[in-house]
């Protein structure tokens, strides 16, 4: 079963309102409330004129009071540079705390592997007060993948990458970043067929948790190497301080689950998300028995045949 990623209707606890080249979609009465009371999503219509939509947003909305911003679909092929546009306008968003790039319906509007990016490091540096950052896509046909360098951010609390092929370079950059307040980290690895070439070794700094002293949720998901990740998690010191752990959406089998059960105790967790997996019925029962006080999500059991797929794959 594939997961259908759709546009968000709510972000950072706020209702989402669209801004297109044709104006503001005011179905939710956005113009009657403070700009800080909604999350604004700038997007194209029919993949055209993203820059026009962004300029219109700046003209019609008091960006100085905006706290949550999303970028939806934009033109690929170098016709739009959403990262560059926002970085250039960073001074106009002094109160921005939540940012998400690529919030599009990747079933109907975009193929997730086709979303093109540039280096997002300058963008994160341009918003030092940002608390929440997320990104969907990142493979860019293999020609325009997202890029990131290790960075230090004093206020970031949530970092999320949704991908069908997250480059190893990005995984290493995240793992090597100094994020003292980060509480929620979510990385979707994808498959090697679409550029997801990270290994468990690339996560080494995360396993120790030294650069992530505040981490409480760790999601290492949508991976074709889910068993290897589970085996590494089983002995990772950072797990002892987590409240929730997600190893979902990938190709987890009994081998990976056995490693989890044979490793360090997980009974301190509030929740363990394993949905979309390739576990046998007997292994599912063993997990539930071993973790009686943990909310374990074992939904979406897959057929354990010769072919195994991640839940979010190209074309989803």
């Amino acid at each position: 079963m594939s997961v259908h990623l759709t546009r968000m209707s709510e972000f950072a606890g706020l209702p989402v309102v669209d801004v297109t080249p044709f104006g503001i979609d005011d179905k939710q009465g956005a113009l009657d409330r403070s700009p800080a009371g909604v999350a604004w999503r700038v997007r194209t219509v029919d993949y055209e004129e993203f820059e026009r939509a962004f300029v219109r947003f700046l003209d019609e909305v008091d960006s100085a009071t905006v706290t949550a911003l999303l970028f939806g679909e934009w033109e690929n092929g170098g016709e739009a540079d959403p990262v560059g546009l926002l970085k250039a306008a960073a001074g106009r968003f002094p109160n921005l705390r939540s940012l998400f790039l690529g919030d599009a319906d990747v079933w109907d509007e975009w193929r997730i592997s086709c979303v093109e990016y540039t280096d997002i490091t300058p963008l994160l540096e341009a918003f030092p007060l940002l608390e929440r950052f997320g990104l969907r896509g990142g493979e860019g046909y293999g020609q325009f993948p997202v890029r990131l360098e290790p960075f230090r951010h004093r206020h970031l609390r949530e970092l999320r990458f949704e991908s069908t092929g997250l480059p190893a370079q990005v995984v290493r950059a995240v793992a090597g970043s100094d994020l003292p307040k980060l509480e929620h980290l979510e990385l979707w690895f994808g498959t090697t067929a679409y550029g997801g070439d990270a290994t468990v070794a690339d996560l080494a700094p995360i396993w120790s948790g030294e650069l992530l002293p505040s981490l409480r949720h760790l999601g290492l998901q949508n991976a074709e190497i889910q068993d290897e990740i589970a085996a590494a998690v089983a002995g990772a010191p950072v797990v002892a301080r987590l409240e929730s752990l997600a190893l979902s959406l990938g190709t987890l089998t009994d081998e990976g689950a056995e490693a989890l059960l044979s490793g360090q105790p997980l009974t301190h967790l509030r929740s363990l998300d394993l949905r979309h997996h390739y576990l046998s019925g007997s292994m599912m029962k063993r997990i539930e028995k071993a973790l009686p006080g943990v909310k374990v999500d074992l939904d979406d059991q897959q057929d354990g045949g010769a072919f195994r797929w991640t839940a979010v794959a190209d074309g989803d």
Side-chain angles (χ1 to χ4, degrees):
M1 175 182 173
S2 294
V3 173
H4 180 181
L5 298 179
T6 60
R7 294 188 193 131
M8 287 185 252
S9 59
E10 183 177 289
F11 178 55
L14 300 172
V16 175
V17 172
D18 282 319
V19 183
T20 74
F22 306 106
I24 296 173
D25 182 349
D26 198 31
K27 292 189 178 83
Q28 303 196 53
L31 298 179
D32 296 329
R33 59 175 97 180
S34 165
V38 299
W40 299 92
R41 177 171 50 218
V42 181
R43 66 181 184 88
T44 66
V45 175
D46 297 327
Y47 306 100
E48 294 181 353
E49 299 184 317
F50 179 85
E51 184 171 356
R52 178 184 165 197
F54 186 62
V55 169
R56 184 155 195 166
F57 169 63
L58 293 178
D59 287 342
E60 298 187 15
V61 176
D62 181 7
S63 59
T65 63
V66 170
T67 61
L69 178 65
L70 308 94
F71 279 2
E73 61 271 27
W74 57 78
E75 309 97 302
N76 279 329
E79 296 179 30
D81 179 13
V83 172
L85 286 172
L86 186 54
K87 179 179 178 295
R92 300 184 63 170
F93 293 90
N95 289 298
L96 188 65
R97 298 294 182 268
S98 301
L99 175 63
F100 192 96
L101 305 180
D103 180 39
D105 187 320
V106 296
W107 187 284
D108 298 323
E109 296 159 357
W110 266 353
R111 295 175 65 183
I112 191 169
S113 67
C114 299
V115 186
E116 298 176 359
Y117 286 97
T118 55
D119 187 350
I120 62 171
T121 315
L123 188 59
L124 291 166
E125 294 173 342
F127 292 96
L129 299 180
L130 203 64
E131 298 178 356
R132 181 184 288 104
F133 178 79
L135 178 150
R136 181 174 292 170
E139 301 88 301
Y141 298 102
Q143 299 178 358
F144 303 96
V146 63
R147 299 191 301 279
L148 179 68
E149 298 298 328
F151 65 102
R152 174 174 170 76
H153 204 291
R154 295 178 58 192
H155 294 278
L156 201 63
R157 296 179 182 275
E158 179 178 322
L159 184 60
R160 176 185 179 105
F161 287 84
E162 300 178 355
S163 179
T164 57
L166 194 62
Q169 185 270 334
V170 173
V171 174
R172 289 192 294 268
V174 171
S177 293
D178 186 2
L179 306 170
K181 289 192 176 181
L182 194 72
E183 301 172 355
H184 182 113
L185 175 61
E186 194 168 320
L187 301 175
W188 296 14
F189 291 80
T191 68
T192 53
Y194 292 98
D197 54 350
T199 67
V200 293
D202 295 318
L203 294 162
I206 292 177
W207 302 139
S208 71
E210 292 180 5
L211 297 177
L212 302 171
S214 301
L215 194 67
R216 295 297 177 265
H217 173 84
L218 179 60
L220 303 172
Q221 302 164 253
N222 201 54
E224 66 180 357
I225 59 167
Q226 205 71 62
D227 281 347
E228 297 172 46
I229 291 173
V233 163
V238 71
V239 173
R241 79 163 83 108
L242 298 179
E243 297 176 355
S244 55
L245 174 66
L247 304 175
S248 56
L249 309 179
T251 60
L252 185 69
T253 69
D254 283 10
E255 179 182 347
E258 185 67 49
L260 273 181
L261 293 179
S262 301
Q264 62 186 302
L266 299 175
T267 51
H268 67 287
L269 293 174
R270 292 181 181 177
S271 65
L272 175 62
D273 182 3
L274 301 178
R275 60 197 160 88
H276 187 280
H277 57 81
Y278 292 83
L279 303 178
S280 64
S282 59
M283 178 56 74
M284 292 168 66
K285 291 178 181 178
R286 283 184 59 193
I287 293 172
E288 291 175 329
K289 183 177 180 180
L291 303 171
V294 181
K295 182 179 179 181
V296 182
D297 190 343
L298 289 166
D299 286 350
D300 201 9
Q301 181 186 28
Q302 302 294 301
D303 181 6
F307 298 100
R308 299 187 180 99
W309 311 99
T310 57
V312 182
D314 186 61
D316 292 354

